[in-house]
Amino acid sequence: MKKLSELAVGDWGVIQAVEGKPALRRRLETMGFIPGTRVRVSRCAPMGDPRAYELLGYCISLRQEEAEMVIVEPIKVYPLSEAPPGRFKIVGISGGRGLAQKLANLGILPDVVVARKDNGQTGPVTVEIQGQMVQIGRGMARRITVIAETDEVQKTD
């Protein structure tokens, strides 16, 4: 386990606990930093503080001392374009509304399980979604972040 402040830009983690004084803990939990939630470090200010985090579909900035109060379990994620054949859970889509809408029309949304069928390094990526085979351009597949279904960190109660 690590502190949220220890993750590098682009890293993902699952929140395990929020520590600190009750007022700060309550404020962080109100913003969405609750156990079981996936969070990604998206950006960092030039001097390293504050940093931006994506969770629950939005982006929020925290100072270093606030991020140190959030305990996370790092998770290994990678682009769908680099995933080997197997079953994966989509954890994020990076891109604009147009891309998100195109992928949503295909049934590709966060928390959906997809099965990658091909192992080619060129051409479209073939996945199975809800029993249907879909081919996605490699550029689009690079913007879909996945985690192996067997690696998913369980939510804590």
Side-chain angles (χ1 to χ4, degrees):
M1 299 235 219
K2 290 184 170 185
K3 295 178 180 180
L4 184 60
S5 60
E6 295 172 351
L7 295 181
V9 173
D11 286 353
W12 285 78
V14 176
I15 298 170
Q16 299 298 309
V18 179
E19 300 176 337
K21 295 181 181 179
L24 176 61
R25 199 169 57 238
R26 201 168 29 255
R27 186 172 140 258
L28 289 170
E29 289 174 348
T30 301
M31 290 189 288
F33 291 89
I34 53 177
T37 303
R38 284 188 301 265
V39 60
R40 180 176 84 92
V41 183
S42 64
R43 290 181 288 259
C44 184
M47 298 300 286
D49 193 26
R51 297 190 329 165
Y53 302 93
E54 291 179 9
L55 71 158
L56 302 173
Y58 65 95
C59 188
I60 190 159
S61 219
L62 290 181
R63 296 238 174 251
Q64 186 80 4
E65 61 267 12
E66 295 167 326
E68 288 177 358
M69 301 298 161
V70 181
I71 307 302
V72 297
E73 181 70 37
I75 55 176
K76 173 72 174 134
V77 298
Y78 38 91
L80 182 60
S81 62
E82 296 176 13
R87 292 178 56 83
F88 300 92
K89 187 170 191 177
I90 298 172
V91 294
I93 297 172
S94 61
R97 279 186 276 195
L99 175 66
Q101 185 61 48
K102 285 180 187 178
L103 293 173
N105 290 341
L106 295 172
I108 300 172
L109 300 163
D111 294 325
V112 169
V113 175
V114 299
R116 174 137 186 211
K117 296 297 184 181
D118 67 343
N119 197 18
Q121 298 299 315
T122 60
V125 175
T126 304
V127 294
E128 181 182 343
I129 303 166
Q130 302 168 352
Q132 294 185 337
M133 300 299 273
V134 177
Q135 287 192 326
I136 305 166
R138 198 156 290 279
M140 289 175 101
R142 265 193 293 271
R143 296 179 170 273
I144 301 169
T145 306
V146 296
I147 181 173
E149 192 177 37
T150 56
D151 293 344
E152 175 108 31
V153 177
Q154 298 297 318
K155 287 188 175 185
T156 57
D157 291 322

